[in-house]
Amino acid sequence: MIVMYFKLDLKTNESETNSEIVPNIVSDRKPLSVVLKAPFKASWKAVVHVFHIFRNNPSLIQYIVIVLIFGALTAFHWSYYFIYLEKIRGNDSLLMGLALFVESFAGELPLFIVANVILRYCGPSMSLNISLAAFAFRYFIYGYVFTVGTTYWDILLVEVVQGLTFGLFYTVMTDLAQHYATQENHRILAAREAIKEMADTEAVDETIAVNSVDDLTSRSYATLQGIMSGAFEGIGLGIGALAGGYLINRIDVFAIWKVGAFLALFAIIFNVSVETIKYVYNKRHVK
């Protein structure tokens, strides 16, 4: 991966289907500073671009924090739900398969279909609160209501909530990334027009400058989707899996659902508080 990233000038035998990489002869090798200069420059531009996105959109930090919490909550279920089922129902493979079936076809699939309608009428923040409330309800049931010997129907009925906890959330997450990328592109396109105006009066290479701006425009959508997905599937899931394993080892499998229920409630309070602060600030400062 490192070789592919830095695009080292390695010679290969193109006549063979499965050829090996042939190292450069010492005399043919370029200095390391020349080989790495362009990739590092491009990487630095990407870092600066991400910094500007967060600086221009401070509320993006609010949603990144919530996405991290969603990742941790999801990790509890993805990593330890079958251990939990085995605890309350024994080694029941049929129940595990039925649970996945209900989650997918009775939970996620219908919500993916109607999620845009919910998002349009409720907005992203309220939709996230609905999804967090579903997490709190679901994990409260797991931690405080279900016991050893709980029936199939009770367990499968709760799994329908997967539509709200994942289907709705994932739709909102990708929509937020799209929204902030569009906002950033509006700023970039405004800069593009400014460059064209400057080129008429100042010594500015319009072609190079405009091409650089266009490159940022096409990169914004992938950058924001990558940031959101990284926060959810990378950091969030990793923290949740680690914390869940610690809770199971130190207490029991019921503990992760109790912690998860209160973590979801905390995320709702955090989201509502930030939205209230933004509303009060905008009312005072925006005419």
Side-chain angles (χ1 to χ4, degrees):
M1 291 298 295
I2 295 175
V3 173
M4 293 172 63
Y5 179 76
F6 291 117
K7 300 179 182 177
L8 296 179
D9 187 17
L10 302 178
K11 297 180 179 179
T12 58
N13 187 352
E14 297 178 354
S15 62
E16 299 179 9
T17 303
N18 297 315
S19 58
E20 295 290 338
I21 295 177
V22 181
N24 285 345
I25 301 174
V26 176
S27 59
D28 293 338
R29 290 179 181 172
K30 297 179 181 179
L32 185 61
S33 59
V34 175
V35 175
L36 300 182
K37 183 177 180 180
F40 275 132
K41 185 176 181 181
S43 299
W44 178 247
K45 285 183 179 180
V47 172
V48 172
H49 185 214
V50 171
F51 171 78
H52 280 288
I53 290 175
F54 277 93
R55 188 184 67 176
N56 295 330
N57 305 279
S59 60
L60 182 58
I61 299 174
Q62 165 197 356
Y63 294 114
I64 290 294
V65 172
I66 295 174
V67 169
L68 285 172
I69 295 175
F70 267 104
L73 293 171
T74 304
F76 289 170
H77 191 273
W78 285 5
S79 300
Y80 304 110
Y81 180 62
F82 287 160
I83 297 176
Y84 171 72
L85 285 183
E86 190 172 358
K87 180 73 174 180
I88 64 175
R89 288 290 308 184
N91 188 13
D92 193 335
S93 301
L94 177 60
L95 176 60
M96 296 177 184
L98 286 173
L100 289 177
F101 180 85
V102 172
E103 290 171 11
S104 300
F105 292 97
E108 293 178 10
L109 185 59
L111 256 295
F112 275 128
I113 295 174
V114 302
N116 281 329
V117 178
I118 299 174
L119 180 60
R120 183 168 67 249
Y121 282 99
C122 298
S125 290
M126 182 57 67
S127 297
L128 288 175
N129 287 340
I130 294 172
S131 187
L132 287 167
F135 256 125
F137 168 78
R138 185 185 198 178
Y139 286 179
F140 179 85
I141 297 295
Y142 287 172
Y144 292 99
V145 178
F146 284 173
T147 58
V148 176
T150 301
T151 66
Y152 265 46
W153 289 111
D154 292 334
I155 294 172
L156 296 179
L157 186 62
V158 173
E159 293 315 293
V160 177
V161 182
Q162 173 77 4
L164 292 174
T165 58
F166 183 77
L168 178 59
F169 156 72
Y170 205 84
T171 302
V172 176
M173 182 184 75
T174 54
D175 181 80
L176 284 170
Q178 184 84 356
H179 169 74
Y180 282 106
T182 302
Q183 280 193 338
E184 185 65 18
N185 281 347
H186 286 163
R187 295 188 180 91
I188 294 173
L189 292 175
R192 189 180 192 273
E193 297 302 319
I195 289 172
K196 288 184 176 180
E197 293 179 2
M198 290 174 58
D200 297 334
T201 58
E202 302 180 17
V204 177
D205 192 329
E206 180 183 352
T207 302
I208 296 176
V210 169
N211 288 342
S212 178
V213 169
D214 290 342
D215 180 61
L216 287 177
T217 304
S218 61
R219 187 188 302 167
S220 295
Y221 292 101
T223 299
L224 265 298
Q225 294 290 352
I227 290 173
M228 287 292 188
S229 297
F232 173 65
E233 298 184 15
I235 302 174
L237 286 178
I239 293 175
L242 182 63
Y246 177 82
L247 289 171
I248 290 176
N249 287 337
R250 294 299 298 266
I251 309 175
D252 58 26
V253 72
F254 291 93
I256 60 175
W257 314 121
K258 297 175 182 178
V259 171
F262 285 104
L263 182 60
L265 291 176
F266 165 79
I268 294 174
I269 295 172
F270 169 77
N271 193 29
V272 171
S273 299
V274 174
E275 288 297 321
T276 303
I277 293 172
K278 290 194 301 186
Y279 173 78
V280 173
Y281 177 86
N282 291 333
K283 191 174 182 180
R284 291 180 178 179
H285 294 83
V286 178
K287 295 182 180 180

